Amino acid sequence: MGEDAKPATADGVAAISDEQLRKAEAYVEAEEGATNRLAGWAGAIVTAIAVAATLFHLYAAYDIVPTQQLRYTHVAFVMVLCFLLFPVAARFRNRIQIWDVLAAAATVAILGYALYGGEDFTDRATVPERLDVVLGVIFIVLLLEATRRTSGWIMPVVAIAFIAYAMSGPYLPPPWTHRGYDLSRLVGHLFITLEGIFGTAVDVSSTLIIMFTIYGAFLQHSGAGKFFIDFSMSLMGGKPNSAGRTVVLASFLLGGPSGSGVATTVTIGAVAYPMMARAGFEKNAAGGLLAAGGLGAILSPPVLGAAAFLIAEFLKISYLDVIWMATIPTLLYYTSLLFMVELDARRFGAKVVPSDTTLSLWEMTKRYGFHFTSLIAVIVFMIAGYSPMLSVFYSTLMCFVLSGLTPETALAPRPLLLILTVVGVPLYFVTDLWHPILFFIALVGVIVMSRRSPEAAATSRKLVRTLADGSIGVLNAATTCASAGIIVGVVTLTGLGLKFSSIVLDYAGGSLLVTAIYTALIVWIVGLAVPVTASYIICAVITAPALTKLGVPDFAAHMFIFYYAVLSEVSPPTALSPFAASAITGGDPYRTTLQAWKYTLPAFLVPFVFVLDPIGVGLLMKIPKDGSIADIVIISLKTAAGLAALAAGAQNWMLHRTTMAERVLLILAGLLLVFPSLIEAAAEGLSGYDLPHPAPFGLAIMAILLARQWITRAKPAKA
């Protein structure tokens, strides 16, 4: 299938043109918004605001900032940056207009009014004054406009639809009817209380989400992304299947810190696709694998995407618990992906691709391996008892300090980093004033060293860009969270969540399987129109109650919704990751999407396991009722074996090409292993007999097929 590869350059490597990269980056902009490129005074002012926002949130991570002040200030920074960085329309791009300044100023004035009012302001939530209502309406309009600029029309339209629902309750037919709320009451609930716009979603955005985007910016600018890709290429090189393995490992390493599927797809694809083309990957298959790897970015600890932080807040559990729950599904996802890659290598007749040997694996790890340290530190700090915010705060500091180990990765003049380390550690144990003292030392040091050395000046500019990007990276998720607060506020005010769950249960006839299928379809349909974060928030408040009413643990219900919300990354018509991958490979977007679906098979099936199987919660690191740790091991191994069978069936290959009968039997074996309890219950219901557990039959079918393929391996079908 190598004939579909791009024309190669003189050294034999398929070239990726600037036009292809621009097309791919357009999909990143479709997810994260297209920002202005500002220069001169305008650029300096916006950069200063973004740096101030980052420093404020770093301070808030370490010291206590009252809830209302933190959320209002966070939203103020976010909306000001949105109006200055995102144009009202494409023709106004790369310059700030007077209406952008007016909108930013109005945002600051309204939130300043709310903060100045203090408790008197919040006490007026049920009976707001006329000025409160006027300012609240203006603010909601401004928020929806900021959201439109960052993520398109869909989210604002959905939010407006929910507002209309809240106001038209008495005129709706049963079971949708409710008492109805006038504008004053609605604005009071959404704008003044901490249960609407400034509710749970903004709480998570102002704490965890922005801290991880700041951390991601530090990793990116210190060269961690390049190291992770180079490390993967060096570790996996030298074998026919090294190209596919490299994509899988690099997507895991790079995806965890980035938490963005499309960005990970484009970053890895720009580097790895030439190698994949030379190895013999067909364009659509290569794009599908790149998109599947990008999807793993939102599933991979320690950063599972913004929606994962919301799971912790909705369930009132620690983020570390969410990480543990995601661990086995992530391992299953990447194990299945690796298995498919191994089959691809044989099916495509992949070739060995020479890798860059400038640095050996050991030399590379010895020089740049410190990039792994802060990733591990995030988990270690949380295990040690630190809050998630403090854990990522200290990990960010660690990344900042360790960047000075090599000149090309330093985020500040190296002598300054040494001084900060030597002075900072003793100060930390001696006084509570260590952070303002260090900040003063750093500020003076940067100014002095930048004036004395051009190299130090360049490094200082890199630090400023890092701090600015830390806040700019959160804008899309933050506006989505704030607008989603409108939806959550309406749902809690009107009781829509309970109404909707009752409707779903009625249509499902009380069947857990049918309810799960309906829920998955609802989440998938919502995910076609809105980003992952918004999809999760909407569906968590309106569909999760249906699952929990049928006995599904709340954590399993929310993880089920989270995984199906993530699938919007590879689901047309908004399949941004496959579309971005096809722009790089030159493949067909929809064929690439179909290939991505094949690779992401585990993401579609595993969520049903921990909802439908009695011991399925073992996949979430939870001991089943009346069970033990052994159940976690058993369900993990059974599911892994089942996914391997399904992967072989999807790829139409085991040791060699499978026959149609073998392919059908592989899919049957996979289903018997992945959904044994469900199939057992269905079979017993149809037959009326007590039947044995079907999982052993799945293993037996796999063993027989493997033996048959081994015997016939000397005469494989032509690829």
Side-chain angles (χ1 to χ4, degrees):
M1 306 189 79
E3 68 270 16
D4 290 325
K6 287 183 176 60
T9 57
D11 62 0
V13 180
I16 296 176
S17 68
D18 292 339
E19 179 63 24
Q20 288 173 303
L21 286 176
R22 280 194 294 271
K23 287 181 180 178
E25 288 168 358
Y27 289 106
V28 179
E29 291 183 347
E31 182 182 63
E32 301 178 0
T35 58
N36 289 323
R37 291 178 172 86
L38 302 172
W41 280 104
I45 291 171
V46 172
T47 298
I49 294 172
V51 169
T54 296
L55 293 176
F56 168 76
H57 286 94
L58 287 172
Y59 170 77
Y62 180 79
D63 210 345
I64 296 175
V65 176
T67 300
Q68 187 181 17
Q69 285 88 322
L70 175 60
R71 297 184 193 181
Y72 281 35
T73 305
H74 169 74
V75 172
F77 271 123
V78 164
M79 291 179 63
V80 167
L81 288 171
C82 284
F83 288 125
L84 298 180
L85 279 172
F86 294 84
V88 69
R91 66 179 181 274
F92 299 112
R93 194 173 178 184
N94 298 331
R95 58 188 185 275
I96 297 176
Q97 303 292 334
I98 184 62
W99 51 75
D100 299 324
V101 176
L102 292 176
T107 298
V108 173
I110 292 171
L111 292 178
Y113 167 83
L115 284 172
Y116 180 77
E119 291 184 2
D120 290 338
F121 175 72
T122 56
D123 288 343
R124 299 196 298 267
T126 54
V127 283
E129 297 176 354
R130 181 181 296 273
L131 180 59
D132 298 336
V133 175
V134 171
L135 293 180
V137 169
I138 295 173
F139 178 79
I140 290 172
V141 171
L142 290 172
L143 172 61
L144 295 178
E145 167 59 12
T147 306
R148 184 197 65 81
R149 293 189 183 197
T150 56
S151 56
W153 279 101
I154 300 296
M155 191 64 190
V157 169
V158 172
I160 292 170
F162 272 81
I163 292 174
Y165 171 77
M167 299 180 69
S168 59
Y171 310 105
L172 297 173
W176 304 103
T177 186
H178 60 86
R179 56 171 287 189
Y181 298 89
D182 60 21
L183 186 63
S184 175
R185 179 73 177 88
L186 192 58
V187 169
H189 183 74
L190 297 179
F191 174 60
I192 299 179
T193 72
L194 296 182
E195 297 177 21
I197 293 171
F198 302 99
T200 299
V202 163
D203 179 39
V204 175
S205 171
S206 64
T207 53
L208 286 174
I209 296 177
I210 191 166
M211 284 305 301
F212 273 97
T213 61
I214 293 170
Y215 172 55
F218 273 78
L219 280 175
Q220 175 190 348
H221 287 279
S222 66
K226 181 180 184 303
F227 165 70
F228 291 149
I229 294 175
D230 291 345
F231 176 84
S232 301
M233 287 183 170
S234 182
L235 181 64
M236 296 298 183
K239 295 183 179 179
N241 50 4
S242 60
R245 288 181 179 180
T246 296
V247 172
V248 175
L249 178 59
S251 65
F252 173 73
L253 293 175
L254 188 62
S258 79
S260 171
V262 183
T264 303
T265 296
V266 172
T267 301
I268 296 176
V271 178
Y273 177 65
M275 179 174 65
M276 299 175 76
R278 290 182 61 187
F281 272 83
E282 185 265 337
K283 290 185 288 190
N284 297 314
L289 179 57
L290 289 169
L295 183 73
I298 319 177
L299 303 174
S300 304
V303 187
L304 298 94
F309 304 120
L310 291 159
I311 294 175
E313 189 62 30
F314 279 146
L315 297 178
K316 302 303 178 185
I317 59 177
S318 74
Y319 183 62
L320 183 61
D321 289 334
V322 179
I323 290 177
W324 291 144
M325 288 194 293
T327 298
I328 294 178
T330 299
L331 292 175
L332 289 173
Y333 180 80
Y334 279 103
T335 300
S336 176
L337 212 53
L338 277 173
F339 190 75
M340 287 192 176
V341 164
E342 297 301 316
L343 296 178
D344 270 340
R346 291 162 174 77
R347 191 159 62 98
F348 293 158
K351 309 173 186 68
V352 176
V353 181
S355 57
D356 182 9
T357 56
T358 305
L359 289 177
S360 68
L361 179 64
W362 169 243
E363 290 171 334
M364 186 187 304
T365 305
K366 186 168 63 174
R367 185 171 178 83
Y368 302 110
F370 62 85
H371 285 302
F372 288 120
T373 308
S374 62
L375 278 180
I376 299 170
V378 173
I379 307 295
V380 172
F381 280 127
M382 282 193 274
I383 293 175
Y386 288 86
S387 69
M389 278 188 72
L390 268 183
S391 297
V392 71
F393 172 78
Y394 286 128
S395 297
T396 303
L397 287 183
M398 183 178 292
C399 176
F400 175 59
V401 171
L402 293 179
S403 71
L405 291 177
T406 59
E408 62 270 28
T409 62
L411 292 173
R414 297 175 75 196
L416 176 62
L417 289 173
L418 178 62
I419 294 171
L420 290 175
T421 304
V422 172
V423 175
V425 173
L427 278 176
Y428 176 77
F429 292 102
V430 171
T431 175
D432 290 335
L433 297 176
W434 69 275
H435 49 287
I437 293 175
L438 287 184
F439 178 76
F440 179 75
I441 293 174
L443 182 62
V444 173
V446 166
I447 294 172
V448 171
M449 293 181 184
S450 297
R451 288 180 176 274
R452 292 189 174 185
S453 165
E455 184 178 327
T459 308
S460 300
R461 286 194 295 272
K462 189 201 294 191
L463 175 60
V464 171
R465 188 70 261 162
T466 301
L467 292 171
D469 286 351
S471 289
I472 293 171
V474 82
L475 299 182
N476 181 281
T479 52
T480 298
C481 286
S483 292
I486 295 174
I487 297 168
V488 175
V490 170
V491 169
T492 57
L493 195 63
T494 62
L496 178 60
L498 296 176
K499 289 185 177 70
F500 193 86
S501 63
S502 298
I503 293 169
V504 171
L505 291 175
D506 288 342
Y507 276 107
S511 166
L512 178 57
L513 171 61
V514 178
T515 301
I517 293 173
Y518 282 169
T519 301
L521 288 173
I522 291 167
V523 179
W524 178 63
I525 291 169
V526 172
L528 296 179
V530 299
V532 172
T533 306
S535 175
Y536 167 75
I537 294 172
I538 294 169
C539 296
V541 296
I542 66 174
T543 65
L547 292 171
T548 55
K549 278 186 178 181
L550 292 176
V552 176
D554 56 358
F555 58 85
H558 280 261
M559 290 297 284
F560 179 87
I561 292 168
F562 168 68
Y563 275 92
Y564 272 92
V566 167
L567 292 176
S568 63
E569 289 280 346
V570 293
S571 302
T574 57
L576 295 181
S577 289
F579 283 26
S582 67
I584 289 176
T585 65
D588 178 83
Y590 289 96
R591 290 183 181 178
T592 300
T593 300
L594 291 176
Q595 290 290 328
W597 276 359
K598 180 187 70 175
Y599 283 117
T600 56
L601 185 67
F604 285 88
L605 296 180
V606 169
F608 277 97
V609 179
F610 47 71
V611 167
L612 299 176
D613 197 302
I615 64 171
V617 292
L619 294 181
L620 300 176
M621 289 279 200
K622 301 289 185 180
I623 297 176
K625 185 179 180 181
D626 301 325
S628 64
I629 294 178
D631 291 316
I632 297 178
V633 177
I634 291 170
I635 190 67
S636 300
L637 293 177
K638 282 195 304 185
T639 305
L643 292 176
L646 291 170
Q651 295 285 56
N652 197 21
W653 199 277
M654 282 186 80
L655 300 179
H656 55 78
R657 185 176 294 279
T658 59
T659 65
M660 179 57 70
E662 287 174 332
R663 192 175 191 183
V664 171
L665 288 172
L666 279 170
I667 294 173
L668 174 61
L671 294 175
L672 290 173
L673 287 163
V674 174
F675 303 118
S677 300
L678 179 64
I679 292 175
E680 180 184 14
E684 289 178 350
L686 291 173
S687 66
Y689 294 99
D690 186 17
L691 301 176
H693 197 61
F697 293 101
L699 288 173
I701 293 172
M702 282 188 67
I704 293 170
L705 291 175
L706 191 61
R708 185 178 186 280
Q709 288 248 319
W710 177 266
I711 292 170
T712 59
R713 72 190 185 282
K715 298 178 180 180
K718 291 183 180 181

